[in-house]
Amino acid sequence: MKLFDTYPRSHPPLPERWQAIYEETYKASRDGGTFLYRLTQSLEAWMHRKVSSAGCPESKILEIGAGTLNHIDYEPNAISYDIIEPFRELYLNRKELCRVGQIFDDIDRVPLFTEYGKILSVAVLEHISNLPGVVARAGLLLNKGGVFCAGIPSEGGFLWGLGWRATVGVVARLKLGLNYGDLMRHEHLSTAPEIIAVVRYFFKQVEVSRFPLPFHHLSLYSCIRASDPIEDRCRGFLHDRSP
């Protein structure tokens, strides 16, 4: 698959002025620190609801990129809840931490003998530099009948691009004198169609839903639900790319 030759991808460097406020900006976006970020979170709730509705509610769950643990409340019936999150500062002192079992800083550290009924992510896959490797390993960590479910922005689509340019893009330009596009290019390494293509390669059953309209260019967010991983492909890819 030629798409795989473009991975791993590197994050373009941020201009110095963005670097100075990067962590503050990220935390504000996750905590809903401004009206626009609160509006964004209300729209992102669609992804959380779609992801939580996939698979068995009483599953052993692994969340990829748990961040500030803002999804865990959407999974109240989980048997156990493990997370992958390299940035401890995001989840430390969160009240939801008491529900978390094991914490990993990379999916490669999750033992392959561990099995999950549901592996999920929300607004994460577009950030991952080694996307095919992560999806392949997720396929091997699912138990029989398990589901891989990911909410993602409809990156590369018309409505998504218009949405951020007309909101946070304008604010960043007027208040900070910064180009929000520089931050988006640094953060989002894969488009929605690329992510879907990667998931389709490793899973036999893949369903895609979108919000607010069921078209890539007229949607803000997409949700991917995948099951029945092709284990030979998953193992073969990871073996071929191992150092």
Side-chain angles (χ1 to χ4, degrees):
M1 191 173 181
K2 290 184 178 180
L3 175 61
F4 290 169
D5 293 335
T6 68
Y7 293 95
R9 296 178 176 178
S10 300
H11 291 272
L14 275 174
E16 289 186 8
R17 290 187 60 199
W18 266 124
Q19 292 179 29
I21 62 171
Y22 176 77
E23 185 173 333
E24 176 187 346
T25 302
Y26 183 83
K27 287 184 176 180
S29 69
R30 294 302 89 198
D31 293 335
T34 68
F35 169 75
L36 279 179
Y37 287 137
R38 288 193 294 274
L39 175 62
T40 299
Q41 285 189 342
S42 68
L43 293 172
E44 287 181 351
W46 176 85
M47 289 190 291
H48 290 284
R49 292 192 298 269
K50 290 294 290 186
V51 167
S52 67
S53 67
C56 175
E58 298 178 352
S59 295
K60 184 176 180 180
I61 290 177
L62 174 67
E63 181 176 3
I64 300 171
T68 58
L69 306 179
N70 62 338
H71 181 78
I72 195 168
D73 285 343
Y74 287 86
E75 308 283 353
N77 299 316
I79 294 174
S80 64
Y81 203 100
D82 296 345
I83 67 170
I84 300 168
E85 180 51 65
F87 302 112
R88 297 176 68 251
E89 296 79 6
L90 295 177
Y91 60 77
L92 285 180
N93 302 318
R94 297 280 174 173
K95 60 181 178 61
E96 296 87 355
L97 194 57
C98 64
R99 287 193 56 204
V100 174
Q102 297 190 78
I103 301 174
F104 305 94
D105 60 8
D106 192 286
I107 195 170
D108 289 339
R109 298 188 182 277
V110 183
L112 283 178
F113 58 77
T114 311
E115 292 187 343
Y116 295 93
K118 184 175 183 179
I119 299 178
L120 66 89
S121 69
V122 179
V124 169
L125 297 189
E126 66 276 10
H127 300 269
I128 295 176
S129 60
N130 182 28
L131 178 65
V134 170
V135 176
R137 194 167 181 91
L140 296 178
L141 290 169
L142 282 177
N143 62 23
K144 187 175 182 179
V147 62
F148 174 75
C149 194
I152 58 173
S154 294
E155 182 61 75
F158 170 77
L159 188 60
W160 168 256
L162 177 64
W164 68 258
R165 286 179 174 86
T167 54
V168 289
V170 172
V171 173
R173 178 69 70 183
L174 295 179
K175 292 186 64 175
L176 305 172
L178 295 173
N179 181 359
Y180 201 80
D182 291 335
L183 182 61
M184 293 296 288
R185 283 185 289 274
H186 173 80
E187 286 290 307
H188 290 190
L189 300 181
S190 298
T191 65
E194 288 174 332
I195 295 169
I196 293 167
V198 169
V199 176
R200 288 192 188 279
Y201 180 81
F202 291 113
F203 287 83
K204 293 180 182 177
Q205 303 294 328
V206 178
E207 301 172 4
V208 180
S209 52
R210 296 181 175 89
F211 170 85
L213 294 174
F215 310 100
H216 171 56
H217 284 291
L218 297 180
S219 63
L220 291 170
Y221 302 106
S222 303
C223 184
I224 307 166
R225 184 190 186 280
S227 58
D228 200 1
I230 306 170
E231 293 190 14
D232 288 345
R233 284 188 177 178
C234 295
R235 294 185 189 280
F237 178 86
L238 294 174
H239 178 269
D240 292 343
R241 298 300 175 102
S242 61

